[in-house]
């Protein structure tokens, strides 16, 4: 499979990989066709799992290669990683303050971002879409880095990242469709909104791959930027949501398992 994928244009590689991650978002949203309500402890575990995957991916797939690339280029090894990481977090902070969105289990009047009259369903979708911007960007940058011939960035590691991001997208689709179904939305409408939250990933993935291919000196910064954005999402969104109901043990165990799985994928495949 890697040989076939390796023969493709890296931007197409990134598109296919992020279509895969979007597909798993849709698969999670499709659970709404089998049940009207999902066990909250299970959802907490899945959100914790997603957080663990993103933390591990941020280091092994993004920050570590960024540091190695900067060192190989004769730069101060830590500088691009630190600058890119903080810029990524700063970008998500700005988006978080500007983009209207609503976290699950919260009333409509606790929506964040700019004030709007948008429906609750739209705000719920936008909250998960916010997660998916850095995820798609990370996958795209990883494939772009592999195509650039950087020794520390391989096609196998990019594929491992896409698999890890895809696995943690499952609960994100679930986290949109199930609350909407519980509020009385039809199954098809709940599914539509759930999968819609992942549409941004292919767009961000293609942008990330194209960016690092055509502006190679930015590569360490781009990798670290994606890592910073992902860590911001984990700390600001995923961990608090997974522990909102007070059941912290199950979400913590989920995070540990997600971290371990992503570490295994990246080290074994990369």
């Amino acid at each position: 499979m890697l040989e076939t994928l390796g023969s493709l244009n890296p931007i197409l590689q990134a598109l296919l990989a992020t279509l895969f991650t979007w597909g798993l978002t849709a698969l999670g949203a499709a659970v709404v066709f089998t049940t009207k309500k999902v066990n909250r402890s299970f959802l907490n575990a899945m959100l914790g799992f997603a957080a663990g995957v993103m933390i591990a991916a941020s280091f092994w797939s993004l920050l570590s290669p960024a540091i190695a690339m900067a060192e190989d280029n004769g730069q101060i090894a830590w500088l691009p990683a630190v600058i890119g990481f903080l810029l990524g977090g700063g970008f998500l902070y700005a988006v978080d303050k500007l983009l209207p969105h609503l976290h699950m289990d919260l009333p409509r009047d606790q929506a964040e971002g700019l004030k709007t009259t948008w429906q609750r369903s739209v705000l719920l979708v936008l909250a998960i879409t916010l997660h998916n911007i850095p995820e798609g960007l990370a996958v795209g940058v990883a494939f772009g880095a592999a195509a650039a011939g950087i020794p520390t960035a391989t096609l196998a590691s990019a594929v491992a990242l896409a698999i890890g991001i895809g696995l943690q997208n499952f609960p994100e689709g679930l986290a949109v469709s199930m609350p909407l179904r519980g509020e009385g939305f039809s199954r098809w409408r709940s599914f539509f909104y759930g999968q819609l939250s992942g549409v941004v990933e292919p767009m961000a993935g293609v942008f990330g791959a194209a960016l690092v291919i055509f502006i190679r000196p930015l590569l360490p910064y781009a990798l670290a930027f994606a890592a910073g954005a992902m860590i911001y999402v984990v700390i600001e969104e995923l961990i608090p949501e997974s522990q909102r109901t007070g059941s912290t043990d199950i979400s913590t165990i989920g995070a540990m398992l997600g971290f371990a799985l992503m570490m295994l994928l990246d080290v074994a495949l990369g």
Side-chain angles (χ1 to χ4, degrees):
M1 184 189 75
L2 284 179
E3 290 183 4
T4 303
L5 188 62
S7 65
L8 301 176
N9 180 283
I11 295 177
L12 181 56
Q13 292 173 355
L15 176 61
L16 292 175
T18 47
L19 286 174
F20 165 76
T21 62
W22 176 21
L24 285 180
T25 302
L27 186 62
V31 174
V32 76
F33 291 111
T34 64
T35 181
K36 187 174 182 178
K37 187 175 182 181
V38 68
N39 182 276
R40 180 66 209 206
S41 293
F42 172 75
L43 186 55
N44 287 343
M46 288 290 95
L47 290 172
F49 177 86
V53 167
M54 291 176 71
I55 293 170
S58 294
F59 177 73
W60 270 281
S61 297
L62 300 170
L63 283 175
S64 182
I67 293 169
M69 287 174 204
E71 194 169 24
D72 290 342
N73 293 337
Q75 299 171 288
I76 300 173
W78 53 265
L79 189 60
V82 170
I83 292 174
F85 185 83
L86 294 178
L87 286 175
F91 171 75
L92 257 291
Y93 173 81
V95 173
D96 190 55
K97 295 303 179 186
L98 294 174
L99 182 70
H101 61 285
L102 177 67
H103 301 297
M104 59 182 177
D105 298 329
L106 293 181
R108 173 66 178 74
D109 60 6
Q110 291 190 27
E112 298 179 16
L114 297 176
K115 298 300 180 182
T116 179
T117 58
W118 293 348
Q119 294 180 354
R120 175 181 172 85
S121 57
V122 175
L123 295 174
L124 285 169
V125 172
L126 289 176
I128 302 298
T129 301
L130 188 62
H131 300 179
N132 290 333
I133 294 172
E135 294 167 13
L137 183 64
V139 173
V141 168
F143 277 95
I150 307 297
T152 52
T154 66
L155 181 60
S157 65
V159 170
L161 177 62
I163 292 172
I165 294 296
L167 289 174
Q168 66 87 46
N169 272 0
F170 181 88
E172 292 188 350
L174 189 66
V176 176
S177 65
M178 295 310 299
L180 294 179
R181 178 59 178 155
E183 292 181 11
F185 282 64
S186 69
R187 285 187 170 91
W188 276 106
R189 193 177 177 194
S190 300
F191 167 75
F192 174 77
Y193 280 123
Q195 64 80 34
L196 188 64
S197 64
V199 170
V200 70
E201 286 199 6
M203 293 184 285
V206 167
F207 173 77
L211 179 68
V212 299
I213 288 170
F214 295 114
I215 315 177
R216 180 168 171 165
L218 289 180
L219 186 50
Y221 295 92
L223 287 166
F225 181 95
M230 285 174 59
I231 291 297
Y232 184 93
V233 167
V234 169
I235 298 172
E236 169 73 10
E237 312 280 356
L238 290 179
I239 290 177
E241 285 183 13
S242 71
Q243 300 188 352
R244 197 183 302 279
T245 59
S247 179
T248 60
D249 289 345
I250 189 68
S251 57
T252 301
I253 292 170
M256 295 291 291
L257 292 175
F259 186 97
L261 178 61
M262 187 64 233
M263 179 172 59
L264 184 154
L265 284 173
D266 202 284
V267 175
L269 296 181

